[in-house]
Amino acid sequence: MNQLQPYQVMIRFTLPFMALLIVACSARAPWVSRPTGRAYVEAEALFRHEPRWLGADAALTIPLTDDRVLWLFDDTFVAVSDAYTRKVSKMVRNTVAIQIGVDPRTASMTFHWRQDANGSPASFFPERGSQWYWPRHGILLDEGPLVIFLFLMGATPGQGLGFAHEGYALALIDNPHMSPEMWNLQIIDGKPNAYGIIPATAVVQDGEYIVALAIHQESTRMGEHPGMLVRYPSKQLAQGNMDSAEWWAGERRGWLPESELSAGGPAYVLDDAGAECSLHWDERTESFIHVASYGFGDTTIGLRTAPAITGPWSSPITVYDPPESDRPQPFVYAAKAHPKLAGPNAADLVVTYATNSFEFSDLFTMEGERSLYWPRLVLVPVGK
């Protein structure tokens, strides 16, 4: 097995780290903290079950059964020696995990990635030459496969942040009940639209349709990622067919195919959805809930509600101030809710966020390996 030296790990990490800069670029929220979240530290051991898996960001979940949950991660440290340290590791573009049990304090977790021809760790969703995938949200269809939206990324050395969104794709898995290394994985390219909008940071089922939250990955104004909605007939999406997509054009016009939209594109349902976020229907509050990080570096976690997925959405309220935001060189981002996971109380909504540092070397110190670049868990009381 090839072992990487510390400087090699740093080189591998530079581009993925820069990619994180776009994740948190939202205006810092000044709202009153209501309700107040609390750290769920006792559940974070869930991510330490596999000694080779040494931390990642993104952290999305898709329920597969009543007690089986899929986790999706972006750039991930994977150990390449029995030292189990980031200093001797490889960063792959994505990994997945399967959680058994919905209470993260008692659940088990298995982590999965692929191997290249030399036996070295490789991305679960394979690269396409110089391009790579970052997984986003998906859903297990009632009468069809597991579908997962993927962002297609490419490097832009010396330009901007060193990367660019180059499209999106849909992953289809027709045997998600099997262990991930046995999955039949098919990846289908998505057709670009005229507005530079990429699905899907969040996915919700609405009758016969799958509704996806899509955002401008490149902010239209500094610190803003407006959110729009696109829906697909679930039977066609199950076949990898995204041609019948309809976009929300507002209350007056409703859902329309792209060809019938005006030059301005679909309607904004969220003025700032965040570069990463979650959106789900919550039975306890009988409302849709949107969760995202607000700010840049020293962020807060904000929550909005709406009676319908098309809105109107409330203004966001701050529900948690991550303590990592008070550190030197803070880099806190990617807040998302995980409604399938259970907290100690029935009212608890489990939320994750990512931690990092603007000093690369911090991730390789003893303290950094322990506390940075691991998903952090929070409990936000939303029910009675």
Side-chain angles (χ1 to χ4, degrees), residues 121-145:
S123 303
F124 185 83
F125 299 99
E127 282 84 352
R128 289 177 38 171
S130 61
Q131 297 174 311
W132 69 92
Y133 292 113
W134 281 336
R136 285 303 172 256
H137 206 220
I139 189 169
L140 178 59
L141 299 175
D142 291 338
E143 298 180 358

Side-chain angles (χ1 to χ4, degrees), residues 20-88:
L20 299 177
L21 290 174
I22 198 170
V23 171
C25 55
S26 306
R28 185 171 174 84
W31 313 293
V32 176
S33 296
R34 186 183 73 254
T36 300
R38 63 194 189 278
Y40 197 18
V41 177
E42 63 269 31
E44 293 175 359
L46 178 70
F47 301 104
R48 311 297 177 111
H49 289 319
E50 168 56 73
R52 294 171 294 175
W53 196 90
L54 298 176
D57 65 355
L60 301 96
T61 51
I62 302 174
L64 299 180
T65 65
D66 287 343
D67 66 348
R68 190 166 182 258
V69 179
L70 169 66
W71 285 85
L72 302 165
F73 303 100
D74 285 356
D75 299 327
T76 306
F77 285 114
V78 181
V80 296
S81 83
D82 291 343
Y84 303 126
T85 173
R86 291 177 184 169
K87 295 178 181 179
V88 190

Side-chain angles (χ1 to χ4, degrees), residues 99-136:
Q99 175 182 333
I100 304 298
V102 296
D103 186 335
R105 296 170 299 175
T106 57
S108 63
M109 184 96 98
T110 58
F111 296 83
H112 305 268
W113 54 86
R114 300 187 187 275
Q115 292 185 336
D116 62 20
N118 298 318
S120 183
S123 303
F124 185 83
F125 299 99
E127 282 84 352
R128 289 177 38 171
S130 61
Q131 297 174 311
W132 69 92
Y133 292 113
W134 281 336
R136 285 303 172 256

Side-chain angles (χ1 to χ4, degrees), residues 9-10 13 17 54 77 85-87 324 327-331 355-374:
V9 176
M10 295 297 289
F13 183 57
F17 183 91
L54 298 176
F77 285 114
T85 173
R86 291 177 184 169
K87 295 178 181 179
E324 295 85 359
R327 285 185 168 189
Q329 302 293 332
F331 197 2
T355 62
N356 214 313
S357 173
F358 287 108
E359 291 292 335
F360 296 170
S361 60
D362 288 349
L363 299 175
F364 303 94
T365 66
M366 183 178 297
E367 173 63 18
E369 290 214 23
R370 184 190 68 82
S371 62
L372 295 178
Y373 211 63
W374 295 93

